Amino acid sequence: MPGAVFLTGGSGFVGGAILDRLVAEGREVRALARSRESAERLELRGARTVLGDLLGEASLASGMVGCELLFHAAGRNELCPRDPLEMGRVNVDGTRRVLEEAARAGLRRVVYTSSAAVLGERRGTVGREDSRHRGSFLSEYDRSKFLAERAALESASRLGLELVCVNPSSVQGPGRTSGTARWLIRYAQGRLHWMLRTRVSLVDIADCTEAHLRAASRGQAGRRYLVSGSSRTVAELLEVVAQVTGQRHRVRFLPST
């Protein structure tokens, strides 16, 4: 039987799907929980919980001892946060700290949930794992994830960790209510009055989860793996919602540049 797995972000959409998959496969999962309420929910899903925080003072290493693998899926996901500095602290500083705790506990392999947003491909090009970044950011989220991935790779190299990055595009599926899913929901409710005329790359949550598990077993340390499915215009996505719900609403499209 494979060894135990330590998971951050188990209360989130992607982290929760990873948790459910690992539990279904019979793996022992120790999940980081920020509160007693969160711990109770994670335990109901089959995890053992470790109370703590990415930026807290209490050591996380003791809860990681005996684990052979870390899935670091925790992070802030907001396009326009009220406090960009706090997003940076969680996504960047929190990532550095959890890797330091993992090294202290004797872990060697880490799967880090990054983002396709860190590619930053130039306009008119198709993003790949080795795309040269354009040098500017579309949101504070993009900036924080770019810096977080760089911090993760630097920390892993310094600490001797085998770190694999998984870079999903916009993850969608049952239960998603935040991020890009918010405007799909608002359209279904007749509350989306305007949108930018742009494209969105999507990946199903089941495919995203499978990519994380394959990264754990097959991914090369120090590499990133882009995970994406179809790329659609916003108008096309809203049409899909309209077909599913049987409700169509007028939306004003604004140019993206």
Side-chain angles (χ1 to χ4, degrees):
M1 175 67 68
V5 175
F6 195 90
L7 170 68
T8 72
S11 296
F13 184 59
V14 172
I18 295 172
L19 169 60
D20 292 343
R21 175 71 179 271
L22 292 170
V23 170
E25 293 185 357
R27 299 292 297 269
E28 177 189 342
V29 182
R30 302 179 195 172
L32 182 65
R34 296 180 60 191
S35 66
R36 293 289 181 185
E37 294 77 11
S38 177
E40 290 176 0
R41 291 193 293 270
L42 291 169
E43 288 167 3
L44 286 174
R45 297 173 76 163
R48 292 175 55 189
T49 54
V50 176
L51 286 175
D53 188 277
L54 293 180
L55 298 174
E57 295 181 359
S59 173
L60 305 178
S62 59
M64 297 181 180
V65 172
C67 294
E68 67 174 21
L69 174 66
L70 164 67
F71 283 100
H72 178 40
R76 294 280 296 273
N77 182 356
E78 300 173 63
L79 293 180
C80 301
R82 293 184 177 180
D83 186 355
L85 293 179
E86 175 64 16
M87 174 178 283
R89 283 191 290 269
V90 172
N91 291 350
V92 182
D93 297 340
T95 294
R96 285 197 188 98
R97 179 169 183 261
V98 77
L99 294 184
E100 290 170 355
E101 295 288 312
R104 188 174 295 116
L107 273 77
R108 282 295 171 262
R109 192 158 179 85
V110 180
V111 176
Y112 167 59
T113 304
S114 184
S115 170
V118 309
L119 302 181
E121 69 277 7
R122 295 184 182 278
R123 186 177 181 86
T125 66
V126 177
R128 308 189 333 168
E129 284 89 346
D130 59 354
S131 292
R132 181 185 294 273
H133 198 279
R134 62 181 171 268
S136 61
F137 300 96
L138 299 178
S139 69
E140 288 299 327
Y141 171 75
D142 292 5
R143 184 192 304 275
S144 74
K145 291 299 287 186
F146 175 85
L147 295 174
E149 184 186 88
R150 187 167 67 179
L153 291 167
E154 291 174 348
S155 296
S157 177
R158 173 174 52 85
L159 297 167
L161 296 170
E162 299 175 4
L163 182 133
V164 183
C165 298
V166 178
N167 298 66
S169 58
S170 179
V171 187
Q172 303 295 333
R176 180 75 194 271
T177 58
S178 61
T180 51
R182 292 179 62 186
W183 49 263
L184 295 175
I185 294 172
R186 288 175 65 89
Y187 175 77
Q189 297 171 336
R191 298 171 54 227
L192 185 71
H193 304 300
W194 65 270
M195 261 309 283
L196 295 178
R197 194 180 302 279
T198 187
R199 301 185 70 89
V200 181
S201 295
L202 308 173
V203 61
D204 185 83
I205 182 60
D207 294 334
C208 180
T209 305
E210 178 68 22
H212 278 79
L213 269 66
R214 293 196 183 194
S217 61
R218 306 181 191 179
Q220 293 184 14
R223 286 194 57 182
R224 62 159 68 118
Y225 293 89
L226 178 62
V227 182
S228 190
S230 64
S231 178
R232 305 286 187 91
T233 67
V234 172
E236 289 173 335
L237 293 175
L238 297 185
E239 175 60 23
V240 171
V241 176
Q243 291 177 8
V244 171
T245 63
Q247 300 288 328
R248 280 183 169 78
H249 307 282
R250 183 180 178 185
V251 175
R252 181 183 181 188
F253 285 96
L254 306 178
S256 58
T257 57

